[in-house]
Amino acid sequence: MVKRRRGALLAFGFALAAALLPSGGARAQTTVTIATVNNGDMVVMQRLSSRFEQQNPNIRLRWVVLEENVLRQRVTTDIATRAGQFDILTIGNYEVPIWAKQGWLAAFDNLPAGYDAEDILPTVRTGISHEGKLYALPFYAESAMTYYRTDLLQRAGISMPERPTYAQIREIAEKITDKNNQVYGLCLRGKPGWGENMGFVTPLVTAFGGQWFDSQWRTKIDTPEWRRAIAWYSDALRQFGPPGATSNGFNENLALYAGGRCGIWVDATVAAGLLFDPKQSQVADRVGFAPMPTGDFAGGPTWLWSWNLAIPATSKQQEAARAFATWATSKEYIQLVAQENGWVAVPPGTRRSTYDNPEYQKAAPFASFVLRAITEANPTASTREPRPYTGAQFVGIPEFQGIGTQVGQTIASTLTGTGVEQALRGAQSATERAMRQAGYPK
């Protein structure tokens, strides 16, 4: 039965890919160059892509796999200069609408019926659309949650609140930290970058009542709200976090938690499938989860991120690129991952059919929690004071890549001795200067 299902899956994949290639397409081999991030799900995609090449012998895939910050720099430079090095870009829902508006991306028009674009969760689909058209296809999507070690909390005689606050997270982290045994109460992103440490810091600041800019585009970093948020972050990580936190981004903290070194980790929901997978996690049977912590302001914009496959308008291999992007984001690809690695390991957050599948529900105890977090995510909600931009863990303007990364470096310095007030004064000044040079307010 398994062999018949796998054969049918491969046959469908061949038909799906072939439908996207020109009729009687060229027999010469076409090379499609793919830029992607070194996250676990993308590593699986690269490994399984040999199936696609078997089905499409006229297409050869060339992979450029990069660390997250480097990937963002490379693909941004490439597309802005129209260098045309890549045929497929792995980019987020931050870049897609901005780059589509610039005319830098090819639209995904006329997708085959078998792809079932309507199966993509509405919040995810909206984030990668511009003027009603899809300009990328989602590989996985995420909101955010709190992971914690149930055994460590039980040993300390405490329990995780149903909806924890940041103050409670700090108290719990203090009680479960055991540095002598290299168990750290709290792991958070410390690596500088607009999508690394600032991906966590921006919603943290929102929870403390802060924001990047007011309704007139005046910079609001050197404020009491930012000072309270960064003081919490810096103090908690220095006291209860692992050494060298400024080197730890998503992947590094994932490895620490899966290796039994973290008591609490607040980060993306996509990590759940990896942490609950006994093949990849030493603590798979001891993982609890709760919502992202709250501060003194609730109801603000909520974390929503997706990693997507997009085709630059400069690509000379657009039909072949469409064939691969469609294959790698299809329902059939998700089933292939389930057959190879188990349902708990499939790329999450993109399709309703994944969450409707009883096998996934059985394998992933977090499934309904994550589905609700993503479907209810509202990155356009207001901060405590009105704001002129959208985004929960980023500011939806082109200039944010540079501004966010520069501020991220300043925030990281608070983990190695720079005072919070000094750091925020510097961040305020640098951001004001960057915004003036960019012509804000517009």
Side-chain angles (χ1 to χ4, degrees), residues 142-155:
E142 63 189 32
S143 187
M145 61 200 293
T146 301
Y147 304 98
Y148 63 93
R149 286 273 301 279
T150 55
D151 58 325
L152 297 182
L153 269 67
Q154 289 171 358
R155 193 179 306 159

Side-chain angles (χ1 to χ4, degrees), residues 4-28:
R4 288 200 297 272
R5 286 177 62 195
R6 189 169 297 174
L9 174 61
L10 293 175
F12 182 91
F14 178 82
L16 181 63
L20 295 171
L21 294 172
S23 59
R27 292 290 178 256

Side-chain angles (χ1 to χ4, degrees), residues 1-135:
M1 175 63 74
V2 171
K3 290 183 178 179
R4 288 200 297 272
R5 286 177 62 195
R6 189 169 297 174
L9 174 61
L10 293 175
F12 182 91
F14 178 82
L16 181 63
L20 295 171
L21 294 172
S23 59
R27 292 290 178 256
Q29 194 172 61
T30 298
T31 298
V32 173
T33 302
I34 304 166
T36 196
V37 66
N38 63 343
N39 290 354
D41 289 287
M42 281 69 171
V43 172
V44 172
M45 175 175 63
Q46 183 183 8
R47 178 169 56 82
L48 294 179
S49 67
S50 60
R51 304 295 185 88
F52 174 84
E53 290 179 308
Q54 291 167 11
Q55 298 160 17
N56 299 271
N58 295 332
I59 301 176
R60 183 175 75 89
L61 303 176
R62 175 176 174 268
W63 293 85
V64 180
V65 182
L66 302 166
E67 185 271 332
E68 191 167 322
N69 285 336
V70 178
L71 173 78
R72 289 180 166 128
Q73 294 167 359
R74 286 278 301 275
V75 300
T76 300
T77 300
D78 183 75
I79 202 162
T81 60
R82 302 184 68 83
Q85 296 181 60
F86 306 114
D87 301 297
I88 295 177
L89 310 174
T90 306
I91 58 177
N93 53 315
Y94 162 73
E95 293 99 341
V96 173
I98 294 173
W99 292 3
K101 185 178 180 180
Q102 296 282 350
W104 292 349
L105 301 177
F108 281 90
D109 294 327
N110 303 315
L111 289 166
Y115 183 78
D116 192 7
E118 293 301 312
D119 186 48
I120 299 172
L121 297 174
T123 51
V124 176
R125 198 165 63 238
T126 297
I128 53 176
S129 298
H130 174 64
E131 295 183 345
K133 290 184 179 181
L134 279 172
Y135 280 86

Side-chain angles (χ1 to χ4, degrees), residues 153 157-161 172:
L153 269 67
I158 53 179
S159 59
M160 179 65 67
I172 296 171

Side-chain angles (χ1 to χ4, degrees), residues 277-294:
D277 182 358
K279 298 175 185 176
Q280 303 183 67
S281 172
Q282 297 177 24
V283 294
D285 59 342
R286 290 165 278 165
V287 181
F289 55 90
M292 195 173 187
T294 58

Side-chain angles (χ1 to χ4, degrees), residues 233-397:
Y233 169 80
S234 176
D235 181 67
L237 261 188
R238 284 191 295 167
Q239 290 202 56
F240 314 122
T246 55
S247 298
N248 296 339
F250 172 82
N251 280 331
E252 291 80 10
N253 283 321
L254 173 63
L256 285 168
Y257 195 104
R261 301 301 182 193
C262 294
I264 298 173
W265 181 32
V266 183
D267 213 298
T269 57
V270 69
L274 304 170
L275 295 179
F276 278 86
D277 182 358
K279 298 175 185 176
Q280 303 183 67
S281 172
Q282 297 177 24
V283 294
D285 59 342
R286 290 165 278 165
V287 181
F289 55 90
M292 195 173 187
T294 58
D296 54 15
F297 171 69
T302 44
W303 184 309
L304 180 64
W305 179 260
S306 58
W307 277 117
N308 312 279
L309 302 183
I311 301 173
T314 53
S315 171
K316 295 180 174 60
Q317 316 296 344
Q318 291 194 20
E319 289 302 316
R322 278 172 62 93
F324 179 77
T326 306
W327 176 84
T329 59
S330 66
K331 289 187 284 188
E332 290 68 36
Y333 174 82
I334 291 172
Q335 292 171 5
L336 176 61
V337 176
Q339 289 174 9
E340 294 291 325
N341 297 340
W343 273 101
V344 73
V346 303
T350 60
R351 290 183 170 274
R352 169 66 67 172
S353 56
T354 300
Y355 292 89
D356 288 344
N357 190 305
E359 293 180 85
Y360 184 65
Q361 295 171 8
K362 181 179 178 181
F366 50 83
S368 61
F369 178 95
V370 172
L371 176 63
R372 184 168 60 252
I374 292 175
T375 55
E376 295 178 0
N378 183 10
T380 65
S382 178
T383 45
R384 173 172 280 172
E385 300 297 330
R387 62 177 185 159
Y389 58 91
T390 60
Q393 67 277 30
F394 55 80
V395 177
I397 58 174

